[in-house]
Amino acid sequence: MGNIHTVGPNEAMIISGGCCGADDQRKLIVGGWGWAWCLVTDVQSLSLEVMTLNPVCDSVETSEGVPVAVTGVAQVKVMRDVSFLEKACEQFLGKSVKEVEGVILQTLEGHLRAILGTLSVEAIYQDRDQFAQLVREVASPDVCKMGIEIMSFTIKDVYDNVEYLDSLGRAQTANVKRDADIGVAEANRDAGIREAECDKNKMDTKFSADAKIADAARNYKMQKADFDQEVNARKAEAELAYELQAAKEKQKIRAEEIEIEVVERRKLIDVEEKEILRREKELIATVKRPAEAHAYKMQLIAEGTR
């Protein structure tokens, strides 16, 4: 009789012995299922989840002979590649997660101690990222031989029991304070210089603006005077043209009036001439003709009497 065995995506199943339909003696299954014969095959599992380790090294002497303690945090896991997974099975199959973590932790702590002995306290304390990267690069080949991958490694704390770091910190603090005082003095000096430069630039800008305003005012007045002169000239020309036109119109009106008067006088002369002719004719009719008639009559009488 046989049974079906399943594992999750974060777990590997190893079936060893006689497998149905397989010629090899070991079968690796990740996140799947497999068939195993009862009492004939052996089914074991290996966790592929991330393991968090806390390596600790106490009283490890640095390159300067100063004993320090270092704590770190590492994230490791079994690699899924078949070749590395087989190596992990050879090393850890049948062991609990705690036992696997213990083996990897001892390896990391060993490399951590070895690297601490080659560095100074200042290098360890001031550049923790570089120190952690160095530990990871040195330890990775060894844990890789066990099918383990170091996903991350960081330094959590660095301390000592001989107050070396405190002394270093006080010296660093004094240097920082000194540099800060120097920086403040230089900043105040630069601020004073900058303030004076700003005041000078402000006054220069003000004088330049005042000069531009004065130039603009002068140009405005000159342009206004030119405009006023031109306007007055045009106005005078317009008034003169108006007066000339008015004079011409008056001359035309006067000429027409004179012509009318001439016409009227001519008419009066014609009337007077006609009146004279009428009177002449009237005199001739009333005086001359009767007188001539009377003379002619008297002549006739005289001739008759003679």
Side-chain angles (χ1 to χ4, degrees):
M1 295 294 292
N3 295 321
I4 296 176
H5 298 269
T6 59
V7 288
N10 292 329
E11 192 175 6
M13 180 171 58
I14 300 91
I15 302 176
S16 58
C19 296
C20 180
D23 297 331
D24 55 358
Q25 298 298 316
R26 175 180 292 179
K27 187 175 183 180
L28 298 176
I29 300 172
V30 178
W33 62 275
W35 176 271
W37 293 98
C38 295
L39 303 177
V40 176
T41 56
D42 184 25
V43 179
Q44 293 178 300
S45 62
L46 181 65
S47 175
L48 303 181
E49 293 185 352
V50 176
M51 294 174 283
T52 301
L53 307 178
N54 296 291
V56 177
C57 294
D58 290 326
S59 300
V60 180
E61 292 186 357
T62 63
S63 61
E64 299 171 342
V66 180
V68 296
V70 177
T71 60
V73 178
Q75 305 287 338
V76 299
K77 68 184 296 293
V78 176
M79 289 185 281
R80 291 175 176 266
D81 187 84
V82 176
S83 59
F84 293 104
L85 187 57
E86 289 179 350
K87 293 179 181 180
C89 291
E90 292 175 359
Q91 298 294 328
F92 306 116
L93 197 60
K95 291 184 172 61
S96 65
V97 176
K98 291 294 182 180
E99 291 174 335
V100 174
E101 290 178 351
V103 173
I104 302 172
L105 183 61
Q106 289 179 4
T107 303
L108 291 177
E109 288 179 348
H111 286 290
L112 184 58
R113 287 177 179 274
I115 295 173
L116 282 173
T118 63
L119 300 176
S120 65
V121 179
E122 289 81 358
I124 298 170
Y125 187 78
Q126 295 175 359
D127 197 352
R128 298 188 181 187
D129 293 338
Q130 183 65 28
F131 175 42
Q133 181 66 23
L134 182 59
V135 174
R136 181 176 178 181
E137 291 176 355
V138 173
S140 290
D142 287 345
V143 296
C144 187
K145 294 177 182 178
M146 296 184 287
I148 301 298
E149 175 187 8
I150 300 177
M151 301 179 65
S152 68
F153 183 86
T154 57
I155 299 301
K156 185 176 180 181
D157 194 12
V158 178
Y159 58 93
D160 69 300
N161 297 322
V162 294
E163 298 184 354
Y164 184 89
L165 290 174
D166 292 339
S167 300
L168 183 64
R170 285 193 294 269
Q172 184 66 24
T173 302
N175 292 333
V176 171
K177 187 175 184 302
R178 180 200 61 200
D179 294 340
D181 293 338
I182 295 173
V184 170
E186 292 178 350
N188 291 332
R189 179 201 62 195
D190 295 341
I193 295 173
R194 183 60 180 167
E195 184 177 0
E197 291 177 352
C198 290
D199 292 338
K200 180 179 178 300
N201 293 334
K202 179 180 178 182
M203 296 303 296
D204 292 341
T205 303
K206 183 178 183 300
F207 292 152
S208 177
D210 292 340
K212 289 181 180 179
I213 292 172
D215 291 339
R218 184 183 71 252
N219 294 333
Y220 169 74
K221 291 180 180 179
M222 293 177 64
Q223 290 180 358
K224 186 176 184 300
D226 294 339
F227 292 156
D228 292 341
Q229 183 178 1
E230 185 177 358
V231 170
N232 292 331
R234 295 293 178 85
K235 185 177 180 181
E237 291 177 359
E239 292 178 352
L240 181 60
Y242 173 76
E243 291 177 356
L244 290 174
Q245 188 65 28
K248 289 180 180 179
E249 295 296 329
K250 287 181 179 180
Q251 288 178 355
K252 289 181 180 180
I253 294 171
R254 182 59 183 164
E256 292 178 356
E257 289 178 351
I258 292 172
E259 187 177 355
I260 293 171
E261 290 178 357
V262 170
V263 173
E264 290 179 350
R265 287 181 181 180
R266 286 177 181 176
K267 289 182 178 181
L268 290 175
I269 291 171
D270 291 339
V271 172
E272 289 178 355
E273 289 178 352
K274 290 180 180 181
E275 182 66 21
I276 292 171
L277 291 174
R278 187 187 67 78
R279 289 182 179 180
E280 287 180 354
K281 289 180 179 182
E282 184 179 358
L283 289 174
I284 291 172
T286 57
V287 177
K288 183 177 179 181
R289 297 298 183 191
E292 290 178 352
H294 182 68
Y296 181 71
K297 178 181 178 181
M298 291 302 294
Q299 184 180 359
L300 290 176
I301 292 174
E303 288 178 354
T305 301
R306 191 182 58 242

